[in-house]
Amino acid sequence: MTKRRKIFICISSLLISVSVVNMNPQNIVADQKEVFSKNIDIKKITSYPEIYEEDTDEGVSFRAHINPPVNLASENKEMQVTYKTINFDVALKELFSDVGKIKKEETILQPENSLYQSAYGENDEVLSNSIGMFRMEKTHWKKVRDAIEISEKDLGYNADMYREPHEFSFGTADEVWEKLKIILQKLGVMTPLKPTKFYMDYQTMQKEDEKSINKNEDSAEESKKVWSEADNGYYILAVQCVDGNTVFANTYFGNGIEGKEDTANVLAYIDKDGIQMLEITRIIDQISETGKVWEMLSLEKIVDAVKKKFAMVITEAKIEVEEFQFSYMTEAISDTTYCLIPVWFCNYKQIEKDGSSRMCQMIINAETGEEVLYELY
C-alpha cells in the first residue's frame, strides 16, 4: 500500500435498456425550509428520493443512495473563489517548533510565476508550501502511513478497519479535532470543514503493515518496525463546504474517487506528540458572486445523462450504481480565480466475470447534464 498519488483511470461503457423504475414517495427527503441569501427568487426547493432504484436487462442496477444539495433552490447565483496560500512563517512556528536544525529553500515556479517554499529537518522532516498546496510530514508519519489505505480504488483499501471509535491516552478524537481546527485557523483556513475520523490503534496498524510488507519483497527493512501504544493516532480527513455543500477541485491526482474521503482538502495524522502529517489542498480564500444564475436539473435528467454515456458500448461486466452525491467542483476561469461548478458524483461498482470489482465514477454537471472531465495535474 502506498500513500503516493498515482494515476488510475477507470473507463467503462455498456448498453442499457430500462425495465424498472422505483421512485417511492415515502422515500422523498423533506423539502428544505431555508436557503442562504445568495439564492434569488426561489421558485421551489427540489425534493429528492433517499434511494434511486432502477434495473436494466443487461445487468446494470441502480441502488443508489442520494446525497442531495442543501441550501439550494432551482435557481441559484453562480459563485467564484480564490485559493488560500498558507503563511509559511506561521506554519514553521506552529508545526516545526520541535524540529532541530532547519534548512529553508525558496524557488519561483513557472509558468505561473508563483513562490514555492520548503523547509527540511535533520530527521527527514519536510514542509512545503505554494498556492493551494501545503504539506508537512514528520518521522512518525513515515512509519505508520503504509498501515492505512483510504482510496477505494486501491486493492489494499483498508480504511474500514479504523472506523471503530477508540479513545487514546492523549485525548478523544473530538478533542484532537478541536485542537486541529485552532491550528488550521492560525494557518488561515477559515472555510467550514466536514471531518471524517479514523482511529489508528497500534495492534491493527501492525497487522495491516505486515500485510503490506508481505506483498513487497523489497520491504525487508520495514519488517524491523516495533509497534506499541506510542504509535496510536487519529487520522482526520476534512472536506471544505460552501453553504453546507462540499467543494472539491477539478484536478485528478488519481489517488481516489472524487467526492470521497480520499480526496479531502485537509488530511492530518495526530498522535501523542502532536501533528505528524498535515496536507492542505486548494482551500478557499475568498468567495464572491459572478453575476450569473444557474438552474438545477432534475435528478431524472442526471440519471439520463448516465444512461446516455453507458449506452455506447456493450460490456460483460455488471454495473452497480451505488451513489449520487451532489457537490461543487472548482473550474479555472483565470490563473487565480475558479468558478464553483455544481456537479453530481455518480459512484458505481464495476464487477467483472471473474468476480473482481473496482469502484468507478462519472461526474455530471448539475446545470447542463454534461460529463465533467478532469484537468490532469
Side-chain angles (χ1 to χ4, degrees):
M1 289 176 283
T2 177
K3 302 286 100 51
R4 296 184 182 277
R5 299 188 185 277
K6 51 190 178 297
I7 292 181
F8 178 85
I9 300 176
C10 183
I11 301 175
S12 175
S13 55
L14 57 150
L15 181 64
I16 294 182
S17 63
V18 176
S19 59
V20 179
V21 175
N22 182 0
M23 294 285 285
N24 190 338
Q26 294 180 350
N27 291 332
I28 298 297
V29 176
D31 288 356
Q32 298 286 344
K33 302 300 182 182
E34 298 179 0
V35 294
F36 284 77
S37 59
K38 72 180 183 65
N39 294 318
I40 65 166
D41 298 330
I42 297 171
K43 297 177 179 178
K44 181 182 178 182
I45 304 300
T46 306
S47 297
Y48 296 90
E50 293 181 358
I51 303 292
Y52 183 90
E53 298 184 341
E54 180 174 348
D55 294 321
T56 73
D57 293 335
E58 284 73 28
V60 181
S61 66
F62 289 80
R63 297 293 184 272
H65 179 75
I66 308 300
N67 289 315
V70 297
N71 303 315
L72 290 178
S74 56
E75 284 192 355
N76 305 275
K77 291 185 178 180
E78 186 179 78
M79 311 297 287
Q80 64 184 14
V81 301
T82 58
Y83 288 143
K84 182 74 179 180
T85 300
I86 301 302
N87 188 303
F88 186 70
D89 292 331
V90 173
L92 285 175
K93 177 182 177 181
E94 296 294 334
L95 302 172
F96 258 34
S97 60
D98 59 342
V99 176
K101 186 177 179 181
I102 298 175
K103 178 183 178 182
K104 294 190 287 185
E105 297 179 357
E106 291 187 355
T107 186
I108 301 297
L109 299 179
Q110 299 297 338
E112 60 269 25
N113 195 35
S114 61
L115 179 64
Y116 177 84
Q117 300 167 295
S118 57
Y120 304 92
E122 292 179 302
N123 297 312
D124 294 328
E125 301 95 340
V126 60
L127 188 154
S128 61
N129 187 44
S130 60
I131 296 178
M133 297 289 292
F134 173 88
R135 185 169 181 85
M136 184 278 294
E137 286 188 6
K138 293 183 179 177
T139 307
H140 192 225
W141 168 246
K142 296 178 181 180
K143 175 182 179 180
V144 305
R145 64 185 177 187
D146 287 333
I148 185 171
E149 176 55 69
I150 60 174
S151 172
E152 292 185 22
K153 282 186 177 180
D154 196 295
L155 295 177
Y157 173 78
N158 66 352
D160 292 339
M161 302 290 293
Y162 300 101
R163 292 188 187 273
E164 183 177 350
H166 287 69
E167 181 177 334
F168 299 130
S169 60
F170 55 90
T172 67
D174 290 341
E175 291 170 345
V176 168
W177 168 240
E178 291 301 318
K179 292 178 181 179
L180 176 60
K181 284 198 297 184
I182 293 174
I183 297 296
L184 290 172
Q185 289 171 2
K186 290 181 179 180
L187 297 178
V189 178
M190 298 299 179
T191 55
L193 295 169
K194 179 181 178 182
T196 299
K197 301 158 188 170
F198 296 94
Y199 307 80
M200 295 181 64
D201 63 286
Y202 78 94
Q203 296 99 328
T204 304
M205 282 195 284
Q206 181 173 4
K207 294 177 182 177
E208 294 302 306
D209 186 61
E210 288 173 355
K211 290 180 183 178
S212 177
I213 293 171
N214 292 335
K215 293 178 181 178
N216 187 353
E217 296 179 355
D218 297 327
S219 299
E221 188 68 24
E222 296 290 329
S223 63
K224 296 180 180 179
K225 292 180 183 177
V226 177
W227 297 86
S228 69
E229 290 186 3
D231 296 311
N232 291 338
Y234 299 106
Y235 193 21
I236 300 178
L237 315 182
V239 178
Q240 65 185 337
C241 300
V242 170
D243 290 344
N245 295 295
T246 53
V247 181
F248 296 89
N250 182 9
T251 303
Y252 184 53
F253 292 96
N255 67 315
I257 297 178
E258 196 70 61
K260 305 295 281 186
E261 294 158 346
D262 47 351
T263 52
N265 303 98
V266 175
L267 296 84
Y269 182 75
I270 302 100
D271 64 11
K272 64 180 182 62
D273 295 320
I275 301 174
Q276 299 300 310
M277 183 276 291
L278 179 61
E279 182 174 311
I280 303 172
T281 306
R282 289 171 171 76
I283 284 290
I284 292 173
D285 184 18
Q286 297 180 348
I287 184 168
S288 60
E289 298 176 3
T290 66
K292 299 179 181 179
V293 175
W294 64 273
E295 295 187 14
M296 180 86 69
L297 289 179
S298 66
L299 180 62
E300 289 79 5
K301 291 184 178 180
I302 299 301
V303 172
D304 286 344
V306 177
K307 295 175 185 176
K308 289 178 182 178
K309 174 182 172 65
F310 289 165
M312 300 301 292
V313 179
I314 296 175
T315 179
E316 294 183 345
K318 294 182 179 180
I319 304 298
E320 296 180 354
V321 180
E322 298 184 351
E323 181 182 39
F324 284 98
Q325 175 188 341
F326 179 86
S327 183
Y328 286 115
M329 294 187 77
T330 55
E331 183 175 276
I333 55 179
S334 74
D335 290 341
T336 58
T337 306
Y338 301 79
C339 185
L340 292 184
I341 305 298
V343 299
W344 286 94
F345 297 121
C346 173
N347 300 318
Y348 60 94
K349 182 181 293 184
Q350 180 172 303
I351 306 173
E352 307 297 339
K353 291 186 66 177
D354 62 3
S356 62
S357 64
R358 56 184 176 181
M359 291 302 299
C360 300
Q361 183 181 75
M362 176 185 178
I363 306 176
I364 308 103
N365 187 305
E367 178 186 15
T368 66
E370 298 175 351
E371 183 175 6
V372 177
L373 300 177
Y374 288 110
E375 299 172 0
L376 294 182
Y377 181 82

